[in-house]
Amino acid sequence: MAYVTNHNNPSGRPVLVPDYTSLNLINPNFVHNHHHFHRQVLVPVQFALNPAVVAQIELDRSISLQQFMNDEGIVPSLEEEQRRFIVIRKLKEIVIKWIKRVAYLHRLPQNHIRVASATILTYGSYGLGVHNAESDIDALCVGPWFASLNDFFVVLHEVLAKRVEVSDIHCVKDAKVPLMRFKFEGISVDLPYAQLQVTTVPENVDILNPLFLNGIDETSWKSLSGVRANNSILQLVPDVKIFQQLLRCVKLWAKRRGVYGNLFGFFGGVHLAVLTAFVCQRNPNVSLAGLVSIFFKTFSSWPWPTPVVLQQGTMMPRHHPETRSLMPIQLPSSPHEYCHSNITTSTFMKIRTEFCRGYRHTQDLLKSQFDWRNLFEPYPYSKIYQQFLKICLSTSKEDELGDWIGWVKSRFRGLLVKLEEAHVFYDPNPTEYFDTTIQDPNVVFYWGLVLGKNNFLNLVSIQDGFKKNLGTGHKSVTGNITLSVIQSSQLPKNLKLVDTHPVFSDSVQMVPVYSNHVPHHFVGYSAPERPGFGLMN
């Protein structure tokens, strides 16, 4: 449907509203003439809704959406905002003391010690202003040339470990972006490090300024990536506030529908931020409700693998690794960088299905029975899948479980590849559960599973291959992992895998459909034609 500009919007600014003047409606009030009955036709008439009425309806839909998000606890309270502000302020004070101590340990001249400084920059959901009360803080420590990564992991770790506000601190040195992870006054913080070739790092250093990026090493470049992407996105969107509102909605949808989690082959936060910014950039005067509908319309019909590029005039370099990605999304901070993606054929299908479902639920905002809750319904895994891949992770000690879970999740890409090679369809539910029948501390994942035509999965081979993958790289903590296939009837009764609204009636027979191009590869379900029925309803 086309949109037109309405300058009489109650909010005081012009917005785009649906153009109903081009709709042809059938006129039923024709006169029956028995002499010319064979020549009677239904004459189209022009019918238009008052644009101000349409604008008011969309405004009401936007307000109801904002209220729904508030009711869901997505927007943090002022007290929560203040807590995070204080944590960031204290971290800045700590790193300034740390850098002067490092300068002293490196025996720099007194004048260098006096002016030496470091800072903390935020990124991720907190940096974009879309965090909630449960969100972690992604914070980057930026230091000068003389403070090495070793100084970060040794000296700063020692300083933080002595603080009464800090708990559960540990170093993650073998990640793609090395970092320290800890809780500061109860709030989880991920803290990587970037080293600039300067002596003094300004508190609010402009990390997009090329002068600060000269001569930095690869690890620092990767660490800076999140901050640079955040800053670029906020500069490119026409209205930061409505971008934040839309991104909150999109993230809630992705989490509820089980398509959020980069380690599981779905979207990460930066993917959704770029997609949201893309829609906002191209629809600068549309209401929040209208943007939600446009978001799903845009990406349900997007010609993947055509990349989503936020900045105009930039092209994907030839032979770039992400040219092989199923859903390439460019980082706006650099024409040569793309969001790291673990998306596979199976997760790609799930994402596309959810985009289409989202559009079906938002394409007609003017319906009197429209309800935002339908869009954000939790994904009913046990109504969709008859079988599940159960992944159980356990350790003998409670304090080792977190590290073991983190390590295994960081290697989930290897498991996704193994399942892909087995030609099965899988849906990695990111939710973590606890198995009460196991004595050791544990976490369990239940992934939806549809076997191939031969209804066979060599789980022993997959488990052995994945365990071998877990053994590569330095890891001090190890635990146990077991994989098994269970029926939906074997799911623990207390697991909230079932939605309150059945997706399929008991009388519907869902039949797996397999690819003609990739042998034994599941591509979806077929079912008898019924009004309003379908996998994406």
Side-chain angles (χ1 to χ4, degrees):
M1 176 177 291
Y3 280 77
V4 295
T5 304
N6 169 37
H7 295 276
N8 298 317
N9 178 44
S11 66
R13 64 170 190 162
V15 298
L16 294 183
V17 299
D19 180 11
Y20 288 89
T21 60
S22 61
L23 292 180
N24 291 326
L25 300 184
I26 300 301
N27 181 4
N29 299 317
F30 67 93
V31 178
H32 175 70
N33 186 327
H34 65 276
H35 296 295
H36 304 286
F37 178 76
H38 65 283
R39 299 172 59 189
Q40 285 286 350
V41 296
L42 296 179
V43 181
V45 296
Q46 297 295 322
F47 177 78
L49 289 177
N50 187 331
V53 173
V54 175
Q56 184 61 52
I57 293 174
E58 284 211 4
L59 179 62
D60 291 342
R61 291 281 184 261
S62 299
I63 293 173
S64 67
L65 177 56
Q66 291 172 333
Q67 185 59 52
F68 175 84
M69 302 298 286
N70 287 331
D71 293 342
E72 293 296 313
I74 302 303
V75 181
S77 65
L78 292 177
E79 291 77 13
E80 286 293 338
E81 291 279 23
Q82 185 65 18
R83 281 186 66 203
R84 281 164 171 73
F85 176 81
I86 292 173
V87 168
I88 297 301
R89 187 191 67 196
K90 288 185 176 181
L91 282 175
K92 287 185 176 182
E93 294 172 353
I94 290 171
V95 300
I96 288 176
K97 293 180 181 178
W98 161 73
I99 203 61
K100 292 186 180 300
R101 180 178 174 185
V102 171
Y104 173 79
L105 292 174
H106 283 280
R107 299 183 179 182
L108 295 185
Q110 282 296 324
N111 59 326
H112 284 197
I113 297 174
R114 188 168 52 253
V115 300
S117 66
T119 192
I120 295 290
L121 301 176
T122 59
Y123 62 104
S125 61
Y126 183 81
L128 289 173
V130 295
H131 57 288
N132 57 44
E134 305 301 322
S135 298
D136 299 346
I137 294 179
D138 292 308
L140 173 68
C141 177
V142 185
W145 64 271
F146 57 83
S148 67
L149 193 61
N150 188 63
D151 292 319
F152 173 77
F153 279 123
V154 175
V155 183
L156 183 56
H157 179 274
E158 180 184 337
V159 173
L160 287 170
K162 291 180 179 178
R163 300 280 299 211
V164 294
E165 308 99 322
V166 175
S167 62
D168 302 334
I169 185 169
H170 60 279
C171 300
V172 186
K173 298 180 180 180
D174 42 19
K176 290 183 178 179
V177 177
L179 53 82
M180 276 192 284
R181 183 167 288 149
F182 53 90
K183 290 185 178 180
F184 198 104
E185 296 185 349
I187 298 175
S188 297
V189 179
D190 280 358
L191 187 69
Y193 178 65
Q195 181 183 15
L196 304 185
Q197 298 303 306
V198 296
T199 302
T200 300
V201 179
E203 180 180 0
N204 296 312
V205 55
D206 180 10
I207 217 63
L208 296 177
N209 188 334
L211 294 177
F212 287 107
L213 303 178
N214 289 332
I216 65 173
D217 57 60
E218 185 177 355
T219 299
S220 296
W221 181 263
K222 290 178 180 178
S223 298
L224 288 166
S225 178
V227 176
R228 296 175 65 244
N230 270 30
N231 292 356
S232 297
I233 289 170
L234 293 176
Q235 289 182 12
L236 290 169
V237 294
D239 186 325
V240 171
K241 183 177 180 180
I242 201 166
F243 160 76
Q244 292 171 332
Q245 292 172 344
L246 179 60
L247 183 54
R248 285 187 189 278
C249 297
V250 169
K251 289 186 70 174
L252 178 62
W253 160 81
K255 291 178 179 179
R256 290 282 175 84
R257 300 305 298 177
V259 291
Y260 187 84
N262 188 41
L263 295 178
F264 295 83
F266 294 115
F267 288 132
V270 67
H271 300 91
L272 296 180
V274 174
L275 297 184
T276 300
F278 182 88
V279 170
C280 290
Q281 191 179 55
R282 283 152 182 77
N283 303 275
N285 297 313
V286 179
S287 66
L288 175 61
L291 285 173
V292 172
S293 180
I294 292 172
F295 177 88
F296 288 110
K297 180 180 180 180
T298 299
F299 296 113
S300 63
S301 59
W302 189 264
W304 306 102
T306 301
V308 176
V309 180
L310 190 55
Q311 289 172 306
Q312 294 297 320
T314 57
M315 299 293 291
M316 177 182 283
R318 293 183 64 184
H319 309 303
H320 190 283
E322 283 298 325
T323 57
R324 297 187 295 272
S325 172
L326 294 169
M327 289 184 154
I329 300 172
Q330 188 186 70
L331 282 171
S333 52
S334 171
H336 305 295
E337 287 187 274
Y338 283 75
C339 302
H340 174 71
S341 174
N342 288 319
I343 294 173
T344 65
T345 303
S346 290
T347 57
F348 173 80
M349 292 176 184
K350 169 76 179 287
I351 293 169
R352 284 296 302 269
T353 299
E354 289 304 317
F355 273 145
C356 292
R357 176 190 177 275
Y359 180 51
R360 289 161 69 96
H361 279 289
T362 59
Q363 63 181 326
D364 195 348
L365 300 173
L366 303 183
K367 283 185 177 179
S368 58
Q369 67 271 30
F370 182 85
D371 191 339
W372 286 113
R373 289 176 295 180
N374 295 329
L375 176 64
F376 299 102
E377 274 189 331
Y379 190 81
Y381 288 94
S382 58
K383 291 292 185 181
I384 298 293
Y385 303 108
Q386 296 179 357
Q387 293 178 308
F388 288 83
L389 176 64
K390 179 181 178 180
I391 306 169
C392 182
L393 311 178
S394 62
T395 55
S396 57
K397 298 179 181 179
E398 181 74 38
D399 58 358
E400 294 179 347
L401 183 62
D403 283 349
W404 177 234
I405 295 169
W407 176 251
V408 176
K409 286 169 65 175
S410 72
R411 293 294 188 271
F412 265 163
R413 170 68 183 179
L415 181 57
L416 300 179
V417 171
K418 291 290 182 184
L419 292 171
E420 199 84 0
E421 292 172 349
H423 303 305
V424 300
F425 176 86
Y426 52 92
D427 184 353
N429 178 8
T431 308
E432 299 179 3
Y433 301 95
F434 174 71
D435 191 339
T436 57
T437 65
I438 300 175
Q439 185 174 3
D440 288 337
N442 69 87
V443 158
V444 179
F445 296 93
Y446 295 96
W447 293 4
L449 192 65
V450 180
L451 301 181
K453 287 182 178 179
N454 56 11
N455 203 35
F456 174 75
L457 178 64
N458 189 344
L459 200 58
V460 174
S461 174
I462 290 175
Q463 179 169 300
D464 290 345
F466 185 50
K467 283 185 175 180
K468 187 175 181 180
N469 180 271
L470 290 175
T472 60
H474 172 72
K475 188 63 186 173
S476 57
V477 177
T478 58
N480 299 315
I481 176 170
T482 57
L483 274 60
S484 58
V485 176
I486 65 170
Q487 304 299 312
S488 59
S489 59
Q490 296 175 278
L491 290 171
K493 300 299 182 183
N494 62 336
L495 294 191
K496 296 180 179 179
L497 288 174
V498 184
D499 188 87
T500 54
H501 305 288
V503 176
F504 308 124
S505 67
D506 294 335
S507 60
V508 175
Q509 180 65 37
M510 300 305 295
V511 181
V513 177
Y514 299 91
S515 171
N516 292 325
H517 308 289
V518 181
H520 312 304
H521 196 98
F522 173 80
V523 297
Y525 285 108
S526 67
E529 289 288 340
R530 292 191 181 185
F533 176 81
L535 184 60
M536 293 178 290
N537 280 349

